[in-house]
Amino acid sequence: MALVLLILFGALRYEHFLGAYNVLSVLRYNSMFALTSLGMCFVIMGAGIDLSVGTTAAFASVVSALLSPYGLFPGLLGGLGAGLAVGVVNGFMVTRMNIQPFIATLSGMLVASGSGLLLAHNQSVSVSYDTDFTWLGQGDLLGFPTPAWIAAAAYVYGSVVLNFMSFGRYVLAVGGNEEAARLMGLPVDRIKFLTYVQSGVFAGLAGVILAAQFGAGQPAEGVGWELFSIAAVVVGGTLLTGGVGSVTTTLAGVLLLGLIFNVLNFENGLGWISLSAYWQSVVRGVFLMVVVMASSGAARRVARSA
């Protein structure tokens, strides 16, 4: 409802809000956040958290940029491999070393950030325009941005896994009550491990799109992406305590947050307000605080009903 109301507000207030250029630009840019939010959705549904998605995307963007001279697929596979490596490390620390997810993924965030800066020598890494690598970020397919197609395919996959496959049911069971899931005979550690691996892979894919879209690997990018992803997931109705969640409404949360910043840009253009890019961090932080408080209230209501 909030998303629909925001779209109606923008359509009535701004002349080109529903124009093809603005709509396609919003979809192209926010596809990266959609991917990191999808991975975060499964992690949170399993009662975990992944603070490393932003720096993992930045690390993957550097790796894919370095491999882009060899073509689209080497660049794509390199970014996915970088995300996979971070996801494996996070999952191993959580499941085998019994480190709390907050601390484990905070460590993963620092490792990914440092690795990206080391590979890039603390500067942006230009991608090769001699290959078709940039098509992943700047190209179109059937008049629709390629990154949006990739994100749409990822969400179809996520919806099928959550609603029609045993893995999705197991994630919700583990997030609802881990001890009960163990007593039921579910492979709890393996399920949790796979959610972190999946989150890392999606973050890596977001990093590939980042490099292809902006023409460079960005080792210093990704700051605040984890907050955007957490906010989108919680706005979509997934409880931070785990056990309850939806892939489809997570996508609605991503679009809602993306359009809020888009509306702010339109307001800047009208001259009624003048907000710098730094204000986006303030808005993002306030929005996250509000949705976390709402999630806490929802969790208490679920606990009382149980």
Side-chain angles (χ1 to χ4, degrees):
M1 291 177 62
L3 177 61
V4 171
L5 290 174
L6 184 62
I7 292 174
L8 289 175
F9 170 81
L12 294 173
R13 181 166 174 79
Y14 313 116
E15 182 179 356
H16 301 293
F17 185 78
L18 292 182
Y21 177 79
N22 186 58
V23 171
L24 295 180
S25 296
V26 168
L27 293 176
R28 187 185 301 275
Y29 179 69
N30 285 283
S31 61
M32 297 178 290
F33 302 118
L35 291 169
T36 57
S37 298
L38 179 58
M40 185 74 76
C41 178
F42 277 89
V43 171
I44 292 179
M45 284 190 295
I49 198 74
D50 188 354
L51 300 180
S52 67
V53 293
T55 55
T56 298
F59 173 43
S61 75
V62 172
V63 174
S64 60
L66 290 172
L67 294 175
S68 64
Y70 301 99
L72 184 153
F73 287 106
L76 174 61
L77 294 177
L80 292 176
L84 174 65
V86 177
V88 168
V89 171
N90 287 338
F92 180 81
M93 287 193 292
V94 171
T95 59
R96 296 300 180 186
M97 302 181 67
N98 293 319
I99 299 175
Q100 289 296 319
F102 182 90
I103 301 300
T105 58
L106 181 62
S107 302
M109 178 179 73
L110 297 175
V111 170
S113 177
S115 299
L117 291 169
L118 285 172
L119 284 177
H121 302 291
N122 200 23
Q123 59 186 358
S124 298
V125 179
S126 298
V127 304
S128 173
Y129 283 88
D130 296 329
T131 65
D132 53 358
F133 174 77
T134 54
W135 178 80
L136 289 171
Q138 302 174 18
D140 295 298
L141 181 63
L142 302 177
F144 207 61
T146 304
W149 281 111
I150 295 173
Y155 272 80
V156 170
Y157 155 82
S159 183
V160 169
V161 168
L162 180 62
N163 296 299
F164 301 105
M165 297 182 67
S166 58
F167 178 72
R169 303 291 95 190
Y170 291 169
V171 170
L172 292 175
V174 170
N177 191 318
E178 182 174 327
E179 186 59 31
R182 290 187 188 277
L183 294 174
M184 290 168 60
L186 299 183
V188 172
D189 287 343
R190 185 171 65 188
I191 293 166
K192 292 166 64 176
F193 177 79
L194 289 176
T195 60
Y196 286 100
V197 170
Q198 181 177 253
S199 180
V201 170
F202 280 131
L205 182 55
V208 174
I209 294 175
L210 172 65
Q213 190 169 139
F214 293 97
Q218 308 281 350
E221 189 59 55
V223 177
W225 284 29
E226 66 284 345
L227 300 181
F228 185 106
S229 301
I230 293 170
V233 170
V234 176
V235 166
T238 300
L239 296 182
L240 285 172
T241 52
V244 177
S246 169
V247 166
T248 305
T249 52
T250 293
L251 180 58
V254 172
L255 294 175
L256 178 62
L257 288 176
L259 286 177
I260 286 174
F261 297 128
N262 188 235
V263 165
L264 291 177
N265 289 333
F266 270 95
E267 286 294 330
N268 279 338
L270 291 178
W272 288 97
I273 60 175
S274 181
L275 297 178
S276 68
Y278 301 112
W279 275 100
Q280 290 195 5
S281 296
V282 176
V283 173
R284 186 179 292 120
V286 171
F287 199 87
L288 179 61
M289 179 176 63
V290 171
V291 298
V292 166
M293 289 189 296
S295 175
S296 299
R300 286 194 294 270
R301 288 193 296 271
V302 170
R304 284 198 298 268
S305 64

